Amino acid sequence: MVGKRLPVTILLALVCLAGVSCFVVGQLWNRARTAAEISATATTTSEVYLTQTYGAEVSRAIENFELKWRRLPPGRTLSIP
Amino acid sequence: MAEVATGPYLEHSLNKELGGANYDEPFWLVITLAEVRKLRVVEYSPERFKAVAAVERRFDRTTTKGEIIESAVPGAICAVYVFVREDQSWKLVGFFVTSGTSREIARDWDLSSQWLKDIIGGLPDGELCLWFWR
């Protein structure tokens, strides 16, 4: 009796083990993905905030650089860009 | 030049570009306008910032004697700019052009000097060329 049921029991055990493994892996993957999404969202939010807050100052610095760096004294030229 | 740039960027640019100034060029391009049209401020602190910008530029094309051949020649560039604060001013320490395709950008980044990579600290994720005419 025991000998006949043993393979079925082992098979059931393996199926259950596989199911639990898949569940655990799925949860871990989902958690990792959520963390990545949260991180990406935070980065984007931070970037939007930085651009709104410091955009004017940063633009002025870039424009000042572009205008002065590429305007050289006579006799000298810089390749573009 | 030290007024608007500093560090290895200034040294390398002067050595590379002024050392070999192109005196024989038939014309010069003199910049007359530079306006930031699209901007992403990726990092900012009181001492340093990193930004991706699309800049509209216009140039006067002149003879080597300074006579204007053509006015207001349009131009534009996308680039990553890294500035540091020095002597109460923002000065450029890192500059990397991102006007090309993603493949060209990746290739150019791979070929860039290590000092520039260290200063820029990696290309930002996402769009690197926010063309303003799109």
Side-chain angles (χ1 to χ4, degrees):
Chain A
M1 193 69 174
V2 173
K4 283 183 180 176
R5 286 189 178 174
L6 192 58
V8 177
T9 308
I10 291 172
L11 190 63
L12 280 173
L14 285 174
V15 168
C16 287
L17 192 63
V20 168
S21 298
C22 285
F23 177 76
V24 170
V25 169
Q27 287 293 310
L28 288 174
W29 183 77
N30 200 33
R31 194 172 294 176
R33 195 186 61 171
T34 307
E37 282 171 357
I38 290 170
S39 172
T41 306
T43 303
T44 306
T45 307
S46 161
E47 194 178 300
V48 168
Y49 170 77
L50 291 178
T51 305
Q52 285 174 346
T53 309
Y54 302 109
E57 181 186 2
V58 167
S59 293
R60 276 197 304 276
I62 291 172
E63 289 166 358
N64 185 50
F65 165 78
E66 287 285 342
L67 284 169
K68 289 185 176 166
W69 183 257
R70 302 182 200 289
R71 184 175 289 161
L72 293 171
R76 291 190 157 179
T77 181
L78 278 177
S79 58
I80 304 295
Chain B
M1 294 296 101
E3 188 186 338
V4 290
T6 188
Y9 183 83
L10 178 64
E11 291 168 25
H12 282 79
S13 298
L14 291 178
N15 288 338
K16 184 179 72 178
E17 306 194 65
L18 288 184
N22 302 317
Y23 292 102
D24 295 333
E25 277 190 5
F27 62 86
W28 293 341
L29 289 173
V30 180
I31 195 163
T32 55
L33 174 142
E35 285 185 4
V36 172
R37 295 297 188 192
K38 292 275 181 125
L39 181 70
R40 289 173 57 198
V41 180
V42 182
E43 295 169 17
Y44 184 95
S45 75
E47 291 81 34
R48 181 184 189 276
F49 72 74
K50 176 159 115 180
V52 182
V55 183
E56 181 183 3
R57 306 192 294 197
R58 289 193 189 280
F59 300 89
D60 280 346
R61 198 154 65 94
T62 74
T63 65
T64 49
K65 291 178 181 172
E67 297 152 347
I68 292 178
I69 302 168
E70 190 179 3
S71 260
V73 180
I77 190 167
C78 281
V80 176
Y81 295 82
V82 178
F83 282 72
V84 293
R85 197 185 289 280
E86 193 179 279
D87 304 330
Q88 312 287 327
S89 301
W90 286 115
K91 295 187 181 182
L92 189 91
V93 286
F95 174 78
F96 179 76
V97 176
T98 57
S99 299
T101 63
S102 54
R103 180 178 289 188
E104 289 166 341
I105 293 169
R107 179 203 60 200
D108 292 348
W109 180 252
D110 283 344
L111 294 173
S112 292
S113 305
Q114 191 57 47
W115 66 263
L116 182 64
K117 291 179 181 174
D118 291 342
I119 285 171
I120 292 180
L123 294 177
D125 292 330
E127 192 63 63
L128 290 176
C129 193
L130 308 157
W131 287 124
F132 42 87
W133 54 79
R134 274 183 191 165

